Amino acid sequence: MENQSKDRGSFSKLGFILAAAGSSIGLGNLWKFPYLTGSNGGGVFVIVYLVIIATIGFTCMLGEMAIGKYTKLNPIGAYGKIAEKWKFVGVLGVLVPFLIVTYYNIIGGWIMKYIVESLLGHLPAIAGDSANFFTAHITASTSPIVYTLIFVIINAVIIQAGVNEGIERASKILMPLLFVLLLIVAFRSVTLPGAVEGIKFYLQPDFSKLSFNTVTAALGQCFFSLSLGMGAMITYGSYLPDNSHIEQDAVLVPLLDTFAALLAGFAILPAVFAFGFEPSAGPGLIFITLPAVFDAMPFGTLWATVFFFLVLFAAITSSVSLVENPTAWLIDSYGMDRKKAAWIVCIVAFLIAIPESLSMGVWSGITFPPMGLNIFDEIGYIAESLLMPAAGFFMCIVIGWVWGIDNFAKAVTNNGEYEFKSKKYFEIMVKYVAPAAIFFIWLNSSGILSIFS
Ligand code: PFF
């Protein structure tokens, strides 16, 4: 039975914005965005990404926030309330974040390892052989799992404290700190001698590098970075009072998220160019390239420590929101108390993280369907490439064609209390543009077509 138990909690206005921004700003901005920009042609990727954020990103963000605010339930309960037959979309909203958090925690653990190593003054040694250091760490059998466990415990402690005392409070401290640190590192990076080439690569689009892959990567990044297609914003929206102005929030949160991603690009890419590294290093960019970059800077250890702390803060406020989805579902559906629910989710996620982490080392030979990847990559593929866009697509269909724009508008405006300024734009986006674009890109990027050919 879905109820609205007293253990649910609620956000203040500022608390909601910071928590929603905290959910969106994470490894996606500081780790993925710079390396995706680096490997997808620089400025042209940035432009495509901005267009997708303003169209599909805004639409799905407002859609999720409104569903949450109106129903005051977790994603499964929420879809059950607005469109009973479409409850499976809500199931994705609980399942996908759970799948993602299993490996997000592992990456959070890697970040903690780099903080510890920087604090111990080991940066120069790492920088000398950074690729081997990184590989040796992630393929080891115990150390990454221990760091993952520490990261998981931090999450559980914040979530069990509740929506106000835990999530809101952590976000209010960590988010402003994150922006200050990010500004400092970005300023340092763009003022390095030789940074100009990196700034050009980043800001001057070269349209000859535009390809279908650029668009696919940008769409996936939009969903991941804005925490869309997995119910996170439904759950956070469900802690909002009815009279909240979510139309503004749905603009502000993507703006903050995009600002953070752009700043992360400024923090990383000019420094990479200034020291003669390759921007297209891929996922290893912050773990392999950056230590070498920091080491070559004056006070490198200090910069490295500040940077990895910054990434850690961002990762925590995001993983908390991933864990919060299944936690809210256990509270709403089974009347479980928050503390118990949070620990159950965290422990099960940790147990799944163990084989995922080992699959980069001793178990790397074991592969799984459908793509024949190791379990770490396979779960990532299923969650991010298959299910996340699918959830976004179905959400647009439910809002545009089942629940209906008029009901949706009532939810956004609290029954006409405010004007829904972007109603026409939203309607065109949610009914036609967003689902068509997501479907087309999903078909091509999911590898589904290759099964039939
Ligand atoms: N948006 C987060 C990031 O950019 O790292 C990741 C994330 C958090 C995705 C929460 C989904 C979510 F529900």
Side-chain angles (χ1 to χ4, degrees):
M1 182 49 210
E2 303 288 350
N3 60 32
Q4 291 166 10
S5 97
K6 62 175 174 14
D7 251 1
R8 299 199 90 253
S10 63
F11 280 129
S12 70
K13 183 170 171 51
L14 179 65
F16 172 74
I17 290 175
L18 291 178
S23 167
S24 3
I25 301 171
L27 294 171
N29 306 60
L30 302 173
W31 168 58
K32 273 190 145 182
F33 181 78
Y35 89 66
L36 285 174
T37 306
S39 25
N40 285 287
V44 70
F45 175 81
V46 177
I47 295 211
V48 174
Y49 180 71
L50 293 178
V51 171
I52 291 186
I53 291 278
T55 50
I56 301 177
F58 163 75
T59 305
C60 293
M61 180 65 82
L62 183 59
E64 289 203 14
M65 284 180 178
I67 292 177
K69 189 191 81 150
Y70 171 75
T71 60
K72 304 268 181 298
L73 286 168
N74 67 81
I76 298 184
Y79 277 98
K81 186 163 168 179
I82 60 169
E84 176 65 33
K85 284 198 195 115
W86 297 75
K87 221 172 166 172
F88 71 91
V89 189
V91 175
L92 295 178
V94 172
L95 179 67
V96 179
F98 180 72
L99 292 178
I100 293 183
V101 82
T102 61
Y103 58 88
Y104 207 86
N105 288 338
I106 298 176
I107 304 170
W110 297 348
I111 304 285
M112 295 183 92
K113 167 78 175 171
Y114 273 69
I115 292 178
V116 171
E117 293 295 328
S118 308
L119 287 173
L120 291 174
H122 295 168
L123 180 70
I126 297 176
D129 196 9
S130 57
N132 279 335
F133 174 83
F134 179 60
T135 312
H137 176 65
I138 66 172
T139 55
S141 296
T142 39
S143 160
I145 296 177
V146 173
Y147 278 105
T148 302
L149 180 62
I150 302 173
F151 189 80
V152 169
I153 292 174
I154 298 177
N155 272 294
V157 168
I158 295 177
I159 295 189
Q160 71 166 17
V163 171
N164 296 108
E165 290 301 307
I167 302 175
E168 179 163 338
R169 207 151 129 212
S171 307
K172 275 186 174 159
I173 301 168
L174 297 180
M175 292 315 291
L177 203 57
L178 182 139
F179 272 103
V180 172
L181 294 182
L182 196 50
L183 276 169
I184 295 173
V185 181
F187 182 74
R188 174 69 277 219
S189 171
V190 296
T191 51
L192 283 167
V196 176
E197 275 315 302
I199 300 176
K200 275 196 200 147
F201 170 79
Y202 191 35
L203 296 185
Q204 270 183 3
D206 172 357
F207 285 99
S208 69
K209 294 195 177 135
L210 180 64
S211 71
F212 192 73
N213 284 348
T214 321
V215 182
T216 308
L219 180 79
Q221 174 63 6
C222 163
F223 274 91
F224 189 84
S225 190
L226 291 181
S227 304
L228 296 173
M230 45 203 127
M233 294 301 160
I234 297 185
T235 304
Y236 274 12
S238 76
Y239 303 131
L240 274 175
D242 285 333
N243 59 1
S244 316
H245 262 290
I246 52 171
E247 193 182 9
Q248 285 170 3
D249 299 344
V251 175
L252 194 56
V253 173
L255 272 181
L256 288 171
D257 186 76
T258 307
F259 182 55
L262 293 176
L263 269 184
F266 277 118
I268 293 171
L269 292 169
V272 165
F273 274 81
F275 292 101
F277 289 96
E278 269 302 311
S280 56
L285 191 64
I286 73 168
F287 294 107
I288 297 172
T289 311
L290 274 196
V293 168
F294 285 131
D295 189 53
M297 286 183 183
F299 305 106
T301 295
L302 174 72
W303 292 115
T305 315
V306 168
F307 179 81
F308 284 111
F309 261 114
L310 158 87
V311 182
L312 179 70
F313 295 159
I316 289 174
T317 50
S318 296
S319 55
V320 156
S321 82
L322 288 163
V323 176
E324 179 62 18
N325 273 351
T327 302
W329 170 64
L330 290 177
I331 297 174
D332 290 341
S333 302
Y334 297 99
M336 217 177 257
D337 79 44
R338 169 168 286 278
K339 202 167 171 175
K340 188 168 162 196
W343 280 100
I344 289 181
V345 173
C346 285
I347 290 170
V348 179
F350 173 67
L351 293 177
I352 299 176
I354 296 174
E356 283 178 1
S357 181
L358 293 177
S359 77
M360 275 167 279
V362 284
W363 289 355
S364 61
I366 308 175
T367 56
F368 291 84
M371 300 310 271
L373 304 169
N374 68 32
I375 185 165
F376 181 95
D377 291 331
E378 194 70 61
I379 292 190
Y381 165 78
I382 292 174
E384 290 178 35
S385 300
L386 282 187
L387 301 182
M388 224 165 64
F393 169 80
F394 286 123
M395 184 196 74
C396 293
I397 300 295
V398 169
I399 292 178
W401 301 96
V402 184
W403 193 29
I405 295 295
D406 289 337
N407 285 329
F408 181 83
K410 280 188 200 148
V412 170
T413 59
N414 196 25
N415 270 323
E417 205 174 300
Y418 315 112
E419 191 193 346
F420 183 1
K421 297 201 182 88
S422 59
K423 186 171 175 196
K424 249 310 21 87
Y425 177 74
F426 179 86
E427 181 169 0
I428 295 170
M429 285 293 149
V430 86
K431 278 181 140 170
Y432 311 104
V433 180
I438 298 172
F439 183 70
F440 180 65
I441 296 171
W442 179 86
L443 256 194
N444 283 281
S445 66
S446 64
I448 297 281
L449 287 181
S450 64
I451 295 175
F452 299 101
S453 62

